[in-house]
Amino acid sequence: MTDQQPLNADEILDVVDENDQVVGQAPRGAAYARRMRTRCAFVLARDAEDRIFVHRRTPQKLVFPSHYDMFVGGVVGTGESYDEAALREAEEELGVRGLPRPEPLFKFLYETPEHTWWSAVYQVRCTLPVAPQEAEIDWYAFLTEEELTRELGVRPWTPDGLAAYRELLARREAGDL
């Protein structure tokens, strides 16, 4: 990509309320600028050796450019279900076809003074060779959980991905997953 315009700012998204009910639609850029609540799907992708797919977002991303993330995924499109978005986004970002349907784990509301979105968290096993989407991802590796834990304080991580990962670890520790 040669221009530095944010990716997908004009994509129309569903706007939802505090109960995750659709109350309208707005372009992605406007929704983010006005802190309208939208929907996202987060997918923790593991390879055959149980390592986690970790990547750095491109500088052209509208939200959290050049940040690292342990989830693939993204916004749920207008009229799309979380399950549909999870599979679509995982296949797009990993650059694969024929991925198993991601397994839903939990849903939580991500809120900061700048952003708010309902977030459905999934996991999937990807044994296919990956060819990540260059417009979205400019570096990637599969890391063990121990390697990922060591990197958490070193690199800039997407705040929503970090919140989702911490929630996943807390639920796993509590025996809820």
Side-chain angles (χ1 to χ4, degrees):
M1 203 165 172
T2 55
D3 66 44
Q4 294 298 306
Q5 293 300 311
L7 293 172
N8 305 319
D10 296 327
E11 178 182 8
I12 303 298
L13 304 179
D14 284 336
V15 175
V16 297
D17 65 14
E18 65 278 358
N19 298 310
D20 198 17
Q21 299 301 308
V22 176
V23 295
Q25 284 81 34
R28 183 194 298 222
Y32 291 166
R34 296 184 190 128
R35 197 181 178 271
M36 296 173 169
R37 188 174 292 118
T38 57
R39 294 173 166 163
C40 288
F42 293 76
V43 183
L44 190 76
R46 293 180 181 269
D47 67 5
E49 297 169 28
D50 212 34
R51 298 174 301 177
I52 298 169
F53 181 84
V54 175
H55 66 278
R56 183 177 55 232
R57 298 161 60 89
T58 60
Q60 293 80 22
K61 295 293 283 183
L62 187 60
V63 176
F64 312 131
S66 300
H67 280 65
Y68 289 79
D69 204 341
M70 65 287 289
F71 292 95
V72 293
V75 298
V76 177
T78 298
E80 187 176 38
S81 72
Y82 284 106
D83 290 351
E84 291 166 335
L87 180 59
R88 175 185 52 77
E89 288 281 353
E91 287 189 335
E92 284 175 7
E93 289 192 17
L94 294 169
V96 300
R97 291 289 172 256
L99 199 61
R101 183 163 295 283
E103 172 192 356
L105 299 175
F106 60 91
K107 195 165 100 174
F108 76 104
L109 179 60
Y110 175 75
E111 286 196 292
T112 67
E114 299 83 22
H115 304 289
T116 179
W117 41 77
W118 277 103
S119 308
V121 179
Y122 295 78
Q123 66 183 0
V124 72
R125 179 82 52 196
C126 179
T127 58
L128 303 165
V130 298
Q133 190 176 34
E134 291 179 14
E136 305 265 343
I137 295 172
D138 66 8
W139 173 90
Y140 73 93
F142 281 93
L143 302 180
T144 65
E145 285 196 31
E146 294 76 21
E147 291 168 330
L148 175 55
T149 298
R150 284 195 300 270
E151 293 295 320
L152 291 180
V154 177
R155 305 189 186 286
W157 293 88
T158 61
D160 59 344
L162 192 55
Y165 189 66
R166 287 182 173 147
E167 181 71 18
L168 182 138
L169 294 177
R171 287 174 183 245
R172 188 187 317 153
E173 186 173 315
D176 296 336
L177 293 180

